Amino acid sequence: MAWLWLLCALLPAFMVSVTANSPPEFGDNMSVVTLPEDLPVGDVAFWLVASDNDNDKLTYGISGLYASYFSVNPDTGEVTLVSPLDYETLPYFGITISVSDGNIQRTKNMQVIVEDRNDNAPVFLNTEFSTSINETLPVGSVVFSVRAEDKDTGTAGVVQYFIEKVIPSTDNSINLFRILVNGSIVLNENLNYNSKSPFYQLELKACDSGGMLNNDPNVQQCSQPVFVSITVIDEPDLDPQFVREFYSASVAEDAALGTSVLTVEAVDGDKGINDNVTYSISNSTMSGWFDITKNGVIFVSGSLDREQLLQANEEVQIQVTATEEHPNIYGQEAKVSTWVTIRVTDVNDHKPEFYNCSLPGCSFSPQEAQVDFTGEVDEHASARISIDGLTMVAYDPDQGDNGTFLLSLNGSDAEAFSVSPERAAGSVSVQVVVKNSEMVDYEKKTEMIVEVVATDSVSNDYSVATVTIHLRNINDHRPVFSQSLYELTVWENCTTASLAPNNTIQATDLDGDEWGPITYSLLPGNGVDLFEVDPNSGTVTVKNGSLLDREKQAVYYLTLQATDGGNLSTTTTLEITLLDVNDNAPVIQGSYNVFVQEEDGNVSVTIQAYDDDQPDTNNSRLLFSLLPGPYSHNFSLDPTTGLLRNLGPLDREAIDPALEGRIVLTVRVSDCGEPSLSTDVNVTITVEDINDNLPIFNQSSYEFYVMERDPGASVGTVKARDADQTAANNRVSFSLSGSGANNFVLQGNVLEQGWAEGSLWLLPDVSLDYETQKLFNLTVSAENPGPQGLSSTANVIVAVLDVNDQPPTLDAASLQSISVAENGSEHGQVAQVIAQDVDTNASLMIELVNVICTKAGVDVGSVCHGWFSVDANGSVYINQSEAIDYEACHLVTLIVRAQDLNTDPRFDPYSSNGSLAINIEDKNDNTPYFLPDNKTFVIIPELVLPNQQVASVQARDEDSGDNAIIKFSILKADFVREDGTTNSVQVFRITQSVEAGLFTGSIELVTSLDSTIQGTYQVTVQAQDQPAVGPALETQTTLHLFTVDQSYRVRLQFSTDKEEVGANVEEIKEALIQATMTSVYVVTIQNIDSMARARVVSYMDAYFVFSNGTALTLTELNVMIRRDQDALRQLLQLGLVVVSYQESQESDQSQVFTSVIIGLVVSLVLVLVIMITALVCMRKSYHRKLRAMKAGKEARKTPIETTTPTAAIPGTNMYNTDRANPVLDLPTKDLGLECHSSSDLDYHSLNSLDENSVDLDMDSKEFKRKDLPHSSPEPDPEPLTAVLSGRTAGTSGKQKEKLAFTNPGLDTTDL
């Protein structure tokens, strides 16, 4: 039974040995490491960290295809970089990390992500950097395009282009070019081959937009400069140019035909073309004199004459035109003109000639040369007196000595005169003067002739001019009259008439007419103001007939004087008698005023008159007559006596009231002369008035007009007249009656001549309303206040006039909304705003008050101001058609109002504001655009199912209607693995929806995804509009859908069952989101089977994903949860127990289960082995005890001296080689040992019961070893012990230490 206790003690030890050696494990953060590509070689890249529960020494290592980038310290796990990283070559790669505790090695795949750094400068891709452009290239045209690439990403890969330098560097070339963000070089200013430069070299540089490098976040890399050569091609756009600004030459006037004068030269203004130039004469001041060859040589082509150029300063102006052989770029001739001055020099080819002119006004044309001249001079004129009227000029057109000449006189009368000057050059005024005055005698010769000779001083050629000189006579005689007295008569009423019968009184002069005609005049005296004489003919006429009057003076005496041209005179007497004419009218004596009462009175009066003309002639005999008049038919007049009488009763009212009853009759008194003269006299007859008439209105009815809303306004005036002529009899009073008469007041006023007026007014507090009552019908009465009580009536109509007091209104129909298309599609008038006014004299004008610009109901400011204009007549015009943009403004609201220009100032002239809505019609001019979305789309393959949305895009189109409808499509979809390989996939489709103009495209799965692979789906989505007319516009965007595989699946274990966890799942997720700031995706919630620890009841598998597509590992999750104590406390309250990986837990459970199974199997095997061993040992021990008992008995029987000493077999109970017992000295076969040995080879077994014992003391449970003494004072020892204690250790003779196991319960003595 002791062996069973030993088995129970050894079984736990065996089981512990099976599970004691734990393998090392890497931390959860040993899956991915991110390294910057500018990490210096030799720097620490990262550390390998693993843990071992056995605390064994760990050894680290790195293997794999890219392990050569790193060196790892096997003891510390420090990893250093040994090869430089390059993001552009290898953005990420995988290595295998390993850790070993000496017994077990664990490996793990690590992903190394290389972070990009701005370590690359842009590089230009072009191979040639030269181009040629025409100088007429329009500004804004692309000259050349370059492209540079930067292998870096982000802003570090965004290339910017710069023009560093322009060669040649001048003021007009600095800004000649500019470069766009796409690398296009654009012409910024006009080119000019000639005035600027025919060649440019641009130094370009490309720089990235900066990025991180060597821990500096703003490092900018720039490329090496490149040079772009731009050659400007000259275009024929310039006219040729003469090489000299001014050309001049001279040529003699006798030059032969063909003589070359000078050569002009012009070159093409376009230096890069240098076209051939030909020459021609396009204009000349002297046509035909010169010509030009095509090479520009000007030569003489006609006869020259310098003298024809005297007015032109002896110069010929020639316009030479240079023309290029080929037309310019405009298809026109390229030409230029210049004036060439050729001076013609003189030769002596002219003789002096005479001209009848005065310097400097002489033209000296050959046709004007004369040989005959005239002049005059007084007889006996003094010496050196020049001839009057002689305008002689001598002229020689030659120059210098060639133009010098001599002057002299010839002829029969040459001795009486001389010429001045005697020598001259060019031109000179020639004077002939008196030399001998005695020879100049009018009585001898009335005219004299001389010849003036002009002789050329060089050629002696001459010209002769004849001068005829007329002599003037001297006055030496007086005029003489034929009579000393002349008797003349004239009618007293004569105004202009001849007095003498022969019509002339003349005097004679013996000198004749040499001194001019005789002039006549009247000397001062009585009557000189009444008469006058013709100074030339001597005819005497009446000067002022109105002053002649026979009755005042009948005869006048005048003195007439005759004077010749030399102021010699004589006189004679004139007697002028006035003849009587009937020039005096009769004269009326006294005045005539008669008073008579109307109806009963009579008139009787005689007119008295006389006449001053010659008595007893018809001129003084008188006749009386009554002139016609308004009232003359009521009277009679005696023609001889002048007695005036009335023919019947007189009526005062029949007389004009203005006359106040007075009748004025005109009586004419006439004489009998020829012509008859008369005098008129007025006879005033006053007819006195009596009251015999009633008042009468001047109109039977009146119509007045009054403005509405005008209290106290004057309405009108009625008039009535009483025909009586006195105030006492014609006084009139007025009264008013009729409907509405209480609104008016009638004020009477007495006028002249029996008239009275009644002024009709509105009461001061009464104003009429046109809209209430437009017309008042009143009756006005006029009464005579006399005892007779006479009266009359008249009808008064008062019409109320409309005052422009109502504001205009806008016609609602004209304000109906209209539509106008954008982008210059429409022009001109688009609407007509109509205004109305109930007032009758309205003058309406439409004005624009405001413009409201709205887009989708939101005011967008003044963007649409100026698109439309409104004329005063209400016409709405498109003002800026090209500027109308639907995307800027959907609705333009014109706020208009009408103004009545004639509105009374007291009232508002404006209407209420009206709104004219102009809807802007959209054109498909906008490309759809995707809305920026910072979302990161993450796919967890095991969570998403077919037909489930995994991503979305949103797009808008600023157009409207069909133009704004967007259709989404997937152009392509690629899956990019972690190793960089790309595969095209067909696992997505897109559906779309729209809300409020925002189109949403939902990307859905078509099939299930593999949850074991890692990578990114790149999905290119296109948005295309659907216009009804015209081409469609589209745009694309690429979505990156990051996958999260099962390696990031984390299991959270709870102490509550799955039903309770499911009920609290939202609170659990909120706590986890609060702690991790991630999106939590729950995979499953399950209960845990009974094999797990009793404390854990259920678990929840989930993923924790950031918005950038990365996910949390177990370690990171544990750190974040422990960091947020509030979230941790809430999770613990909700039953959270353990956070672990699903696979690790499952593998741990399977490992435990496997270990348990193996342990049980090993335990059963050990139990069987131990039981079998124990049985064998027990049996063997039993046999040994039997043999020992037998040996003891034999030993006691055998004497000691009989034993044969032999060598014992060390380590056995066999004393000799015969395997005999040393005590008994028996053969081994007698002891039966050959049959019971456990092994024939076990010669050194220490398991002999003779030397070992088992201590079964349960308190100590230790093996004890004792050294047995060689002798003992005790009684005889146990026999076998005693025998064995004397056995030696071997042939060496040394004592060997013995092991003893004392078992007090077993003693061979008992046997």
Side-chain angles (χ1 to χ4, degrees):
M1 294 302 294
W3 294 105
L4 293 175
W5 289 106
L6 179 61
L7 177 62
C8 293
L10 293 177
L11 181 59
F14 280 112
M15 295 184 66
V16 169
S17 65
V18 174
T19 60
N21 189 16
S22 300
E25 296 291 342
F26 281 107
D28 295 334
N29 59 350
M30 289 287 102
S31 298
V32 178
V33 65
T34 301
L35 300 176
E37 65 172 329
D38 59 348
L39 182 69
V41 174
D43 280 14
V44 175
F46 56 92
W47 291 78
L48 297 180
V49 178
S51 61
D52 187 13
N53 294 332
D54 302 326
N55 295 323
D56 293 331
K57 180 181 179 181
L58 301 180
T59 302
Y60 299 95
I62 295 177
S63 61
L65 178 62
Y66 302 104
S68 59
Y69 282 95
F70 305 102
S71 173
V72 61
N73 187 323
D75 297 326
T76 63
E78 180 186 69
V79 180
T80 58
L81 186 68
V82 297
S83 295
L85 301 174
D86 187 7
Y87 173 84
E88 290 72 28
T89 304
L90 191 64
Y92 57 88
F93 55 87
I95 58 175
T96 301
I97 58 175
S98 62
V99 60
S100 173
D101 61 359
N103 297 314
I104 301 175
Q105 177 176 331
R106 282 295 178 92
T107 62
K108 188 173 184 179
N109 291 329
M110 174 178 282
Q111 191 75 13
V112 179
I113 299 175
V114 180
E115 285 186 346
D116 188 26
R117 290 292 184 267
N118 191 14
D119 59 340
N120 291 282
V123 176
F124 283 96
L125 303 182
N126 303 57
T127 58
E128 291 187 5
F129 294 93
S130 63
T131 186
S132 297
I133 58 176
N134 292 330
E135 68 169 333
T136 57
L137 186 69
V139 174
S141 301
V142 176
V143 176
F144 190 74
S145 294
V146 297
R147 184 186 173 197
E149 282 189 355
D150 192 321
K151 296 181 179 180
D152 297 319
T153 60
T155 59
V158 178
V159 179
Q160 301 175 344
Y161 301 91
F162 303 93
I163 298 178
E164 294 292 299
K165 186 188 297 183
V166 179
I167 302 173
S169 180
T170 61
D171 291 340
N172 58 15
S173 66
I174 293 177
N175 299 317
L176 192 58
F177 303 94
R178 59 186 173 92
I179 190 166
L180 303 181
V181 294
N182 61 358
S184 296
I185 301 173
V186 176
L187 184 64
N188 204 37
E189 295 178 355
N190 289 319
L191 298 170
N192 194 304
Y193 182 91
N194 298 280
S195 64
K196 291 187 178 179
S197 175
F199 176 80
Y200 297 93
Q201 191 174 52
L202 308 184
E203 180 181 338
L204 305 183
K205 181 178 71 174
C207 298
D208 57 31
S209 299
M212 176 73 72
L213 182 64
N214 297 327
N215 297 323
D216 186 348
N218 296 314
V219 174
Q220 187 180 46
Q221 300 274 14
C222 294
S223 68
Q224 292 296 321
V226 298
F227 294 88
V228 176
S229 299
I230 301 175
T231 301
V232 180
I233 300 174
D234 196 8
E235 291 284 344
D237 59 340
L238 296 178
D239 293 330
Q241 298 176 345
F242 284 96
V243 297
R244 290 168 55 187
E245 293 184 1
F246 178 76
Y247 289 92
S248 64
S250 62
V251 61
E253 63 178 327
D254 60 348
L257 296 179
T259 302
S260 298
V261 180
L262 81 161
T263 302
V264 297
E265 182 182 0
V267 296
D268 188 354
D270 301 301
K271 298 178 181 178
I273 297 178
N274 197 21
D275 198 2
N276 291 330
V277 178
T278 59
Y279 304 89
S280 62
I281 294 178
S282 54
N283 197 359
S284 175
T285 58
M286 299 302 293
S287 177
W289 283 20
F290 300 96
D291 203 349
I292 190 171
T293 66
K294 291 186 176 181
N295 297 327
V297 179
I298 299 176
F299 62 92
V300 178
S301 62
S303 59
L304 307 180
D305 186 2
R306 185 194 68 85
E307 286 68 30
Q308 297 185 32
L309 304 175
L310 297 180
Q311 300 297 325
N313 200 23
E314 303 176 5
E315 294 176 346
V316 178
Q317 300 293 331
I318 300 174
Q319 186 181 40
V320 178
T321 300
T323 305
E324 295 181 12
E325 182 177 350
H326 299 94
N328 58 20
I329 59 174
Y330 309 108
Q332 302 172 350
E333 284 188 344
K335 59 185 178 180
V336 68
S337 299
T338 188
W339 286 95
V340 177
T341 301
I342 301 178
R343 178 176 292 275
V344 179
T345 58
D346 183 49
V347 294
N348 194 9
D349 57 348
H350 291 84
K351 64 180 180 179
E353 290 183 310
F354 296 96
Y355 296 86
N356 187 7
C357 62
S358 298
L359 292 176
C362 299
S363 60
F364 299 126
S365 63
Q367 296 79 10
E368 295 179 356
Q370 292 188 10
V371 295
D372 293 318
F373 295 88
T374 60
E376 60 182 7
V377 67
D378 292 338
E379 61 177 331
H380 306 300
S382 301
R384 304 304 300 173
I385 296 299
S386 62
I387 306 302
D388 294 336
L390 179 62
T391 55
M392 175 185 286
V393 174
Y395 170 66
D396 190 335
D398 296 324
Q399 285 183 326
D401 292 340
N402 297 333
T404 302
F405 53 89
L406 304 176
L407 295 173
S408 60
L409 289 180
N410 288 330
S412 59
D413 298 323
E415 293 298 326
F417 302 95
S418 64
V419 65
S420 176
E422 295 180 352
R423 184 182 180 90
S427 62
V428 66
S429 294
V430 179
Q431 296 292 329
V432 177
V433 298
V434 175
K435 181 179 180 183
N436 188 344
S437 61
E438 294 297 330
M439 297 178 66
V440 182
D441 187 356
Y442 179 82
E443 285 71 23
K444 295 180 181 179
K445 188 183 290 186
T446 60
E447 65 179 28
M448 303 177 76
I449 298 175
V450 295
E451 292 180 348
V452 181
V453 180
T455 304
D456 192 309
S457 62
V458 175
S459 64
N460 293 324
D461 197 0
Y462 63 91
S463 295
V464 178
T466 302
V467 179
T468 301
I469 303 172
H470 299 280
L471 302 184
R472 291 193 292 264
N473 192 17
I474 297 176
N475 185 26
D476 56 355
H477 294 87
R478 292 177 180 273
V480 176
F481 284 104
S482 61
Q483 298 176 216
S484 61
L485 176 64
Y486 291 88
E487 294 180 353
L488 304 176
T489 59
V490 65
W491 294 99
E492 65 172 328
N493 63 346
C494 182
T495 55
T496 301
S498 175
L499 297 180
N502 57 3
N503 202 29
T504 303
I505 299 175
Q506 291 185 341
T508 59
D509 192 338
L510 296 179
D511 292 328
D513 295 331
E514 295 297 329
W515 283 90
I518 297 173
T519 60
Y520 301 91
S521 63
L522 293 176
L523 297 180
N526 183 22
V528 73
D529 56 336
L530 303 176
F531 303 95
E532 64 182 355
V533 64
D534 187 305
N536 296 320
S537 64
T539 302
V540 178
T541 58
V542 176
K543 181 179 180 182
N544 190 351
S546 62
L547 298 179
L548 297 179
D549 190 358
R550 187 200 64 81
E551 286 71 27
K552 293 181 180 180
Q553 183 174 346
V555 179
Y556 293 90
Y557 293 95
L558 302 176
T559 301
L560 177 64
Q561 178 178 271
T563 305
D564 62 12
N567 205 26
L568 298 179
S569 63
T570 187
T571 63
T572 187
T573 301
L574 302 179
E575 181 185 281
I576 302 174
T577 301
L578 298 184
L579 300 178
D580 183 37
V581 294
N582 189 19
D583 59 347
N584 288 279
V587 177
I588 306 298
Q589 295 176 328
S591 59
Y592 302 91
N593 293 297
V594 179
F595 292 89
V596 63
Q597 192 176 38
E598 65 175 328
E599 296 183 359
D600 296 333
N602 291 316
V603 176
S604 177
V605 63
T606 300
I607 307 301
Q608 302 293 327
Y610 68 90
D611 193 325
D612 288 334
D613 285 327
Q614 188 172 355
D616 300 326
T617 63
N618 287 337
N619 291 337
S620 62
R621 187 168 52 249
L622 301 180
L623 294 176
F624 298 90
S625 62
L626 186 62
L627 296 182
Y631 310 104
S632 61
H633 60 279
N634 295 316
F635 301 90
S636 65
L637 179 64
D638 188 300
T640 302
T641 62
L643 177 61
L644 178 66
R645 295 177 179 275
N646 60 303
L647 298 177
L650 300 178
D651 185 4
R652 173 69 179 264
E653 286 69 39
I655 302 173
D656 186 353
L659 300 178
E660 296 181 353
R662 290 187 295 272
I663 297 175
V664 179
L665 299 176
T666 302
V667 175
R668 175 165 292 176
V669 180
S670 304
D671 59 22
C672 296
E674 291 294 336
S676 177
L677 299 180
S678 61
T679 301
D680 294 339
V681 63
N682 290 331
V683 178
T684 302
I685 301 172
T686 301
V687 180
E688 297 178 349
D689 183 44
I690 63 175
N691 190 7
D692 57 351
N693 291 282
L694 58 82
I696 300 298
F697 284 98
N698 63 340
Q699 297 176 210
S700 60
S701 64
Y702 295 88
E703 185 174 356
F704 300 128
Y705 299 92
V706 62
M707 294 292 182
E708 64 173 329
R709 296 195 183 187
D710 190 4
S714 174
V715 177
T717 302
V718 297
K719 287 186 178 182
R721 178 177 179 271
D722 191 318
D724 293 323
Q725 297 297 311
T726 59
N729 297 328
N730 62 13
R731 189 169 65 242
V732 178
S733 63
F734 298 97
S735 62
L736 187 66
S737 62
S739 176
N742 57 345
N743 294 319
F744 302 91
V745 60
L746 184 61
Q747 181 179 358
N749 186 24
V750 177
L751 303 178
E752 297 177 352
Q753 299 177 358
W755 287 98
E757 68 177 7
S759 298
L760 188 62
W761 297 79
L762 285 173
L763 291 174
D765 57 347
V766 173
S767 63
L768 304 181
D769 186 2
Y770 177 83
E771 288 72 25
T772 302
Q773 185 173 352
K774 298 182 177 62
L775 195 69
F776 292 87
N777 198 344
L778 307 175
T779 300
V780 61
S781 298
E783 297 179 357
N784 192 317
Q788 294 84 355
L790 302 177
S791 67
S792 63
T793 62
N795 187 34
V796 177
I797 297 175
V798 179
V800 182
L801 293 180
D802 184 23
V803 174
N804 198 337
D805 58 344
Q806 299 296 325
T809 59
L810 295 174
D811 186 8
S814 67
L815 295 178
Q816 292 183 354
S817 63
I818 62 173
S819 298
V820 174
E822 65 172 333
N823 296 341
S825 301
E826 297 185 27
H827 302 273
Q829 182 177 353
V830 295
Q832 180 70 42
V833 178
I834 299 174
Q836 299 170 341
D837 197 323
V838 296
D839 294 321
T840 56
N841 62 336
S843 177
L844 302 183
M845 180 184 73
I846 306 298
E847 62 180 26
L848 181 62
V849 178
N850 192 16
V851 180
I852 301 175
C853 313
T854 55
K855 178 179 180 181
V858 178
D859 194 325
V860 293
S862 62
V863 66
C864 68
H865 291 187
W867 289 4
F868 300 93
S869 63
V870 179
D871 281 358
N873 63 358
S875 298
V876 180
Y877 293 95
I878 296 177
N879 201 32
Q880 299 175 356
S881 180
E882 300 297 333
I884 299 176
D885 185 4
Y886 174 83
E887 287 68 38
C889 175
H890 294 172
L891 176 64
V892 179
T893 302
L894 303 182
I895 306 301
V896 296
R897 67 180 181 182
Q899 180 186 7
D900 187 350
L901 300 179
N902 293 337
T903 298
D904 190 285
R906 298 172 296 169
F907 306 101
D908 184 9
Y910 296 102
S911 69
S912 300
N913 290 342
S915 299
L916 175 61
I918 304 177
N919 297 299
I920 306 302
E921 291 185 349
D922 184 35
K923 296 293 184 182
N924 190 25
D925 57 344
N926 288 275
T927 303
Y929 63 91
F930 288 96
L931 271 64
D933 193 352
N934 296 325
K935 291 182 180 179
T936 300
F937 300 107
V938 179
I939 298 178
I940 302 176
E942 68 174 312
L943 290 183
V944 295
L945 300 174
N947 302 324
Q948 184 175 347
Q949 177 181 328
V950 295
S952 64
V953 293
Q954 289 184 323
R956 284 188 184 274
D957 192 318
E958 295 299 337
D959 296 320
S960 64
D962 292 341
N963 298 331
I965 297 176
I966 298 176
K967 180 180 180 181
F968 294 105
S969 60
I970 297 178
L971 297 182
K972 65 175 181 176
D974 297 325
F975 181 74
V976 181
R977 299 178 180 271
E978 288 189 342
D979 57 2
T981 60
T982 302
N983 296 328
S984 178
V985 296
Q986 302 290 333
V987 297
F988 300 104
R989 68 184 176 204
I990 188 167
T991 61
Q992 67 183 59
S993 61
V994 60
E995 181 177 355
L998 178 63
F999 288 81
T1000 302
S1002 300
I1003 300 176
E1004 300 175 351
L1005 275 180
V1006 177
T1007 61
S1008 299
L1009 301 178
D1010 189 349
S1011 62
T1012 62
I1013 60 176
Q1014 295 183 1
T1016 303
Y1017 290 96
Q1018 294 181 350
V1019 181
T1020 300
V1021 179
Q1022 173 178 281
Q1024 183 183 63
D1025 58 19
Q1026 307 294 311
V1029 179
L1033 304 176
E1034 68 270 344
T1035 186
Q1036 294 89 30
T1037 186
T1038 300
L1039 302 180
H1040 297 270
L1041 284 65
F1042 300 94
T1043 60
V1044 178
D1045 60 12
Q1046 289 183 339
S1047 64
Y1048 292 97
R1049 181 169 173 174
V1050 177
R1051 174 164 293 180
L1052 289 80
Q1053 299 182 4
F1054 294 87
S1055 60
T1056 57
D1057 58 16
K1058 69 176 183 179
E1059 287 76 12
E1060 186 173 351
V1061 173
N1064 299 329
V1065 66
E1066 293 302 325
E1067 297 181 27
I1068 296 172
K1069 288 175 66 176
E1070 289 179 3
L1072 291 173
I1073 292 172
Q1074 174 185 340
T1076 62
M1077 305 303 291
T1078 62
S1079 298
V1080 180
Y1081 299 91
V1082 177
V1083 180
T1084 184
I1085 301 175
Q1086 298 293 336
N1087 286 330
I1088 297 179
D1089 55 22
S1090 59
M1091 293 180 60
R1093 289 174 290 182
R1095 185 182 175 192
V1096 178
V1097 178
S1098 63
Y1099 66 87
M1100 179 176 70
D1101 290 345
Y1103 291 89
F1104 298 84
V1105 183
F1106 287 104
S1107 59
N1108 61 358
T1110 60
L1112 283 178
T1113 61
L1114 174 63
T1115 303
E1116 294 169 340
L1117 178 62
N1118 281 323
V1119 171
M1120 288 187 173
I1121 292 177
R1122 290 186 177 92
R1123 186 180 300 162
D1124 193 333
Q1125 294 298 320
D1126 293 338
L1128 177 60
R1129 187 180 301 106
Q1130 183 177 0
L1131 291 172
L1132 292 176
Q1133 293 174 355
L1134 294 173
L1136 179 65
V1137 177
V1138 179
V1139 180
S1140 64
Y1141 279 125
Q1142 174 198 11
E1143 56 269 24
S1144 65
Q1145 293 171 353
E1146 291 177 352
S1147 61
D1148 290 345
Q1149 291 179 3
S1150 61
Q1151 289 178 1
V1152 170
F1153 183 73
T1154 302
S1155 299
V1156 170
I1157 298 300
I1158 294 173
L1160 291 175
V1161 172
V1162 171
S1163 299
L1164 290 176
V1165 172
L1166 288 176
V1167 169
L1168 292 176
V1169 172
I1170 291 172
M1171 292 179 65
I1172 294 172
T1173 303
L1175 291 176
V1176 171
C1177 291
M1178 290 175 65
R1179 184 174 179 275
K1180 186 174 182 178
S1181 177
Y1182 176 73
H1183 284 292
R1184 283 182 177 179
K1185 287 182 178 182
L1186 290 179
R1187 287 194 296 272
M1189 292 171 62
K1190 183 178 180 179
K1193 290 178 180 182
E1194 290 294 332
R1196 285 190 295 268
K1197 293 179 181 182
T1198 302
I1200 298 175
E1201 61 271 10
T1202 60
T1203 59
T1204 303
T1206 59
I1209 300 174
T1212 69
N1213 58 354
M1214 296 182 183
Y1215 188 74
N1216 53 31
T1217 57
D1218 295 331
R1219 299 183 179 182
N1221 189 288
V1223 179
L1224 301 179
D1225 194 20
L1226 295 176
T1228 57
K1229 61 181 183 180
D1230 294 333
L1231 296 175
L1233 295 176
E1234 71 283 356
C1235 300
H1236 306 289
S1237 176
S1238 61
S1239 175
D1240 294 337
L1241 301 177
D1242 188 11
Y1243 299 114
H1244 305 282
S1245 176
L1246 298 179
N1247 294 328
S1248 173
L1249 292 177
D1250 298 330
E1251 297 182 26
N1252 296 279
S1253 63
V1254 178
D1255 187 359
L1256 298 179
D1257 186 2
M1258 299 305 296
D1259 294 331
S1260 63
K1261 296 183 181 180
E1262 294 179 354
F1263 293 105
K1264 297 179 181 179
R1265 187 173 67 185
K1266 294 182 179 181
D1267 293 332
L1268 298 179
H1270 294 283
S1271 62
S1272 177
E1274 298 293 332
D1276 295 334
E1278 191 268 327
L1280 185 56
T1281 302
V1283 174
L1284 295 177
S1285 63
R1287 191 173 60 179
T1288 60
T1291 58
S1292 62
K1294 296 182 179 180
Q1295 189 75 26
K1296 185 177 181 180
E1297 185 177 10
K1298 304 297 191 296
L1299 294 176
F1301 299 92
T1302 302
N1303 188 354
L1306 180 61
D1307 196 340
T1308 57
T1309 304
D1310 298 334
L1311 298 176

